[in-house]
């Protein structure tokens, strides 16, 4: 795990992760206090939920994907990847270790966000409170299952086409999966189009993993069957992205 330790230390030394950690911890408490939610105390907790998960998504998309892309480009551009390959570390293992180093910073942010929602925004009603643990656990699981493959994809694309391309491509996929598919669905409801329907059908529906509204409106945990269906769906996307990432990833610049 030499490359993992090197990448982990490099990210840690840059200190940008500390800004994300501070934002994830502080903004869920600060933003509701400067919004209209303070006029009605009952709205403070829902506003805190939106601020918490919204901050996490923003930090992951902007910092997480950028960091993954930067590390992938650096590994190929500086000769680090080529060096480790001469020591017997395969390209597949290098991709995994770089991904794991970035993921080790993203995963704790997700756990912190879930903890804030659990202990600082949980409903007082005993029935709703009992489902809060399950819903937060489901959200963290789906969030990591969505963002994990995207981090690997950003690393792989950046190692071949450059950091800007890797970051922009994966950020575009993420935003499209979270919001674009919703606009596309609205368009199809207004006017049927077989081509657009096919595009929508095969699009990554990351909006399924965004359970913020369920927390906001206290609609309870996902039914077990629906949750496992989502696990299988995003697991399939993970398999596809893993294959694409391995095909794209390279350990050195082409001559």
């Amino acid at each position: 795990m030499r490359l993992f330790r090197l990448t982990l230390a490099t990210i840690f030394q840059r200190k940008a992760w500390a800004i994300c950690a501070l934002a994830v911890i502080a903004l869920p408490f600060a933003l509701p206090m400067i919004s209209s939610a303070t006029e009605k105390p009952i709205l403070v907790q829902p506003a805190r939920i939106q601020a918490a998960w919204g901050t996490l998504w923003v930090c992951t998309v902007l910092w997480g994907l950028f960091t993954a892309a930067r590390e992938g480009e650096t590994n190929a551009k500086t000769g680090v990847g080529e060096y480790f390959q001469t020591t017997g570390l395969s390209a597949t293992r290098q991709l995994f270790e770089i991904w794991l180093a970035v993921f080790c910073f993203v995963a704790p942010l997700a756990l912190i966000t879930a903890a804030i929602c659990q202990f600082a925004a949980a409903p007082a009603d005993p029935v709703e409170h009992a489902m809060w643990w399950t819903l937060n656990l489901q959200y963290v699981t789906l969030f990591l299952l969505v963002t994990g493959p995207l981090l690997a994809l950003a690393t792989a694309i950046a190692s071949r086409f450059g950091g800007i391309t890797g970051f922009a491509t994966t950020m575009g996929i993420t935003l499209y999966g979270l919001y674009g598919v919703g606009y596309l669905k609205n368009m199809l409801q207004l006017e049927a189009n077989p081509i657009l329907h096919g595009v929508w059908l095969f699009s990554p529906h990351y909006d399924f993993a965004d359970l913020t509204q369920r927390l906001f409106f206290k609609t309870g945990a996902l039914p077990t069957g629906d949750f496992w269906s989502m696990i299988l769906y995003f697991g399939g996307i993970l398999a596809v992205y893993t294959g694409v990432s391995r095909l794209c990833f390279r350990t050195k610049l082409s001559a």
Side-chain angles (χ1 to χ4, degrees):
M1 301 293 283
R2 292 168 297 168
L3 180 57
F4 164 74
R5 292 194 297 269
L6 175 62
T7 307
L8 195 71
T10 300
I11 297 172
F12 184 82
Q13 288 297 324
R14 289 186 181 132
K15 300 294 190 298
W17 61 270
I19 298 175
C20 294
L22 180 62
V24 167
I25 294 171
L27 290 184
F29 298 95
L31 291 180
M33 293 299 102
I34 59 175
S35 70
S36 58
T38 53
E39 298 176 4
K40 293 183 178 180
I42 196 174
L43 297 179
V44 172
Q45 288 185 338
R48 186 170 294 156
I49 291 169
Q50 286 190 317
W53 285 102
T55 302
L56 177 64
W57 280 106
V58 169
C59 287
T60 303
V61 171
L62 295 182
W63 176 80
L65 295 179
F66 174 80
T67 301
R70 182 175 182 176
E71 294 305 319
E73 180 185 35
T74 301
N75 189 68
K77 191 175 182 179
T78 61
V80 172
E82 188 173 9
Y83 164 74
F84 277 109
Q85 195 164 30
T86 61
T87 65
L89 200 65
S90 67
T92 302
R93 184 62 181 267
Q94 289 189 39
L95 174 60
F96 171 74
E97 292 193 16
I98 294 172
W99 168 83
L100 183 61
V102 181
F103 191 74
C104 283
F105 285 90
V106 174
L109 296 180
L111 295 176
I112 291 171
T113 300
I116 290 173
C117 290
Q118 182 63 44
F119 298 107
D125 184 87
V127 177
E128 295 176 341
H129 189 80
M131 293 186 291
W132 214 246
W133 281 102
T134 304
L135 182 54
N136 277 303
L137 180 60
Q138 289 177 340
Y139 201 164
V140 169
T141 302
L142 294 176
F143 174 83
L144 295 178
L145 196 56
V146 164
T147 55
L150 287 166
L151 295 174
L153 188 63
T155 302
I157 294 176
S159 71
R160 180 171 293 272
F161 302 108
I164 295 177
T165 302
F167 171 62
T169 300
T170 49
M171 183 176 67
I173 292 173
T174 306
L175 295 179
Y176 171 71
L178 285 172
Y179 308 108
V181 290
Y183 290 112
L184 189 58
K185 183 179 180 180
N186 292 335
M187 292 174 56
L188 291 172
Q189 289 175 342
L190 295 175
E191 183 178 356
N193 186 306
I195 297 177
L196 290 181
H197 184 267
V199 172
W200 178 83
L201 190 63
F202 290 98
S203 296
H205 293 267
Y206 293 143
D207 55 327
F208 293 162
D210 186 357
L211 304 184
T212 307
Q213 295 302 310
R214 295 189 72 89
L215 288 166
F216 185 87
F217 293 109
K218 302 177 183 178
T219 53
L222 289 169
T224 303
D226 292 345
F227 175 68
W228 284 108
S229 295
M230 289 187 185
I231 292 291
L232 291 174
Y233 173 72
F234 290 121
I237 295 178
L238 183 151
V240 173
Y241 282 10
T242 299
V244 173
S245 297
R246 180 59 191 88
L247 289 173
C248 288
F249 183 76
R250 64 181 180 183
T251 59
K252 60 180 179 179
L253 294 175
S254 58

